[in-house]
């Protein structure tokens, strides 16, 4: 079978591990050349070497990160980078709130501002924003994350409307809890704020709203991302696609 993304260049943020690494691998399998962007040099270089791609080390919380992007056309952007902090609003550090918005909202804006002219010139482009079920629903103690993901949903729709005449699509993929280091790292925080034991968090907090009682695998998210970037996704734009095991059916 022909590789559907041969000749395309994809930028995947937070691609050193988890969902980002899975997306990078899946897009490379379809023939794309992948720019593996991560805050950490070693994971970025490891994934890039595995795929024959290029590592880009950048801190998305610093607006100057755009200078680290290669000066070349980018056809696909997967905005995946993010982090979590769990705390009641009255205890939430303002500097952490601001940093989360810079990484998950301002950085996708700056990337779009940089790459859209090239996409427009080529008449083709794909933005896939890794949002979250928290871009569609709220949870206690996640004020910054929920705010950032809701904002990313709105930004994605604007890119879809502006990009449509130029062959550019923009979508959000909205997973529930994925088996990643980010999810594992928040179990202790969730246990503290909810007053339960860590081994209760997955069952009683993370999986409780979903109909399918398991964590999502990163590769399942990456499969949808690849579909949206390929020919079959050409008419899918301006929407949010839950991969949430039935969470938003309630």
């Amino acid at each position: 079978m022909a590789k559907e993304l041969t000749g395309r260049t994809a930028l995947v943020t937070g691609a050193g591990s988890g969902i980002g690494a899975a997306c990078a691998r899946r897009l490379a399998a379809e023939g794309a050349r992948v720019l593996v962007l991560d805050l950490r040099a070693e994971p970025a270089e490891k994934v890039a070497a595995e795929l024959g791609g290029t590592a880009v080390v950048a801190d998305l919380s610093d607006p100057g990160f755009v200078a680290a992007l290669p000066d070349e056309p980018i056809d696909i952007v997967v905005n995946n980078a993010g982090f979590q902090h769990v705390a009641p609003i009255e205890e939430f550090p303002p500097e952490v709130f601001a940093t989360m918005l810079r990484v998950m909202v301002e950085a996708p804006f700056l990337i779009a501002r940089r790459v859209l002219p090239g996409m427009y010139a080529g008449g083709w482009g794909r933005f896939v924003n890794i949002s979250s079920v928290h871009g569609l629903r709220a949870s206690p103690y996640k004020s910054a994350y929920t705010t950032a993901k809701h904002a990313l949903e709105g930004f994605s729709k604007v890119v879809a409307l502006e990009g449509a005449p130029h062959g550019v699509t923009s979508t959000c993929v909205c997973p529930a809890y994925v088996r990643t280091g980010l999810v594992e790292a928040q179990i202790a925080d969730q246990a503290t704020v909810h007053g339960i034991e860590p081994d209760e968090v997955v069952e009683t907090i993370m999986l409780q709203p979903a109909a399918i009682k398991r964590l999502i695998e990163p590769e399942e998210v990456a499969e949808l991302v690849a579909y949206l970037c390929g020919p079959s996704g050409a008419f899918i734009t301006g929407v949010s696609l839950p991969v949430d095991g039935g969470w938003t059916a309630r």
Side-chain angles (χ1 to χ4, degrees):
M1 293 180 64
K3 294 185 176 182
E4 295 180 338
L5 299 177
T6 298
R8 302 296 188 187
T9 296
L11 171 67
V12 183
T13 69
S17 61
I19 296 172
C23 290
R25 293 186 180 102
R26 187 64 184 83
L27 295 176
E30 288 298 329
R33 173 174 170 265
V34 182
L35 305 175
V36 180
L37 188 152
D38 205 275
L39 176 63
R40 304 155 300 161
E42 185 175 350
E45 291 165 358
K46 181 178 179 181
V47 173
E50 172 192 337
L51 305 178
T54 302
V56 180
V57 180
D59 180 358
L60 298 187
S61 69
D62 177 359
F65 80 86
V66 291
L69 298 179
D71 187 18
E72 61 181 273
I74 293 173
D75 306 294
I76 296 166
V77 174
V78 180
N79 285 308
N80 166 73
F83 67 101
Q84 182 63 275
H85 186 82
V86 180
I89 291 170
E90 67 274 18
E91 299 174 11
F92 208 103
E95 65 277 11
V96 175
F97 193 101
T99 300
M100 291 179 77
L101 265 64
R102 284 197 297 271
V103 170
M104 291 189 275
V105 183
E106 185 176 343
F109 159 73
L110 292 173
I111 291 170
R113 189 173 183 273
R114 169 72 175 269
V115 307
L116 275 172
M119 290 180 175
Y120 289 175
W124 194 95
R126 299 285 183 268
F127 284 87
V128 182
N129 303 294
I130 306 301
S131 180
S132 165
V133 69
H134 286 102
L136 306 172
R137 299 289 188 270
S139 289
Y141 313 118
K142 295 185 177 181
S143 56
Y145 191 83
T146 300
T147 299
K149 293 302 188 182
H150 274 67
L152 182 61
E153 297 274 337
F155 180 67
S156 178
K157 291 181 175 70
V158 174
V159 174
L161 295 177
E162 293 188 12
H166 308 280
V168 176
T169 68
S170 179
T171 53
C172 284
V173 172
C174 304
Y177 289 100
V178 183
R179 194 186 304 277
T180 65
L182 184 147
V183 166
E184 292 172 357
Q186 68 175 282
I187 290 176
D189 290 339
Q190 290 267 27
T192 298
V193 298
H194 287 281
I196 60 177
E197 294 299 316
D199 59 4
E200 295 180 66
V201 169
V202 173
E203 181 177 352
T204 63
I205 302 298
M206 294 181 172
L207 300 184
Q208 191 279 327
I212 300 175
K213 302 297 185 182
R214 67 171 176 85
L215 297 176
I216 309 159
E217 300 300 329
E219 292 74 19
E220 293 178 284
V221 179
E223 198 65 34
L224 179 54
V225 170
Y227 181 88
L228 293 168
C229 292
S232 298
F235 205 68
I236 303 172
T237 195
V239 296
S240 303
L241 303 174
V243 188
D244 64 358
W247 183 326
T248 53
R250 297 184 186 278

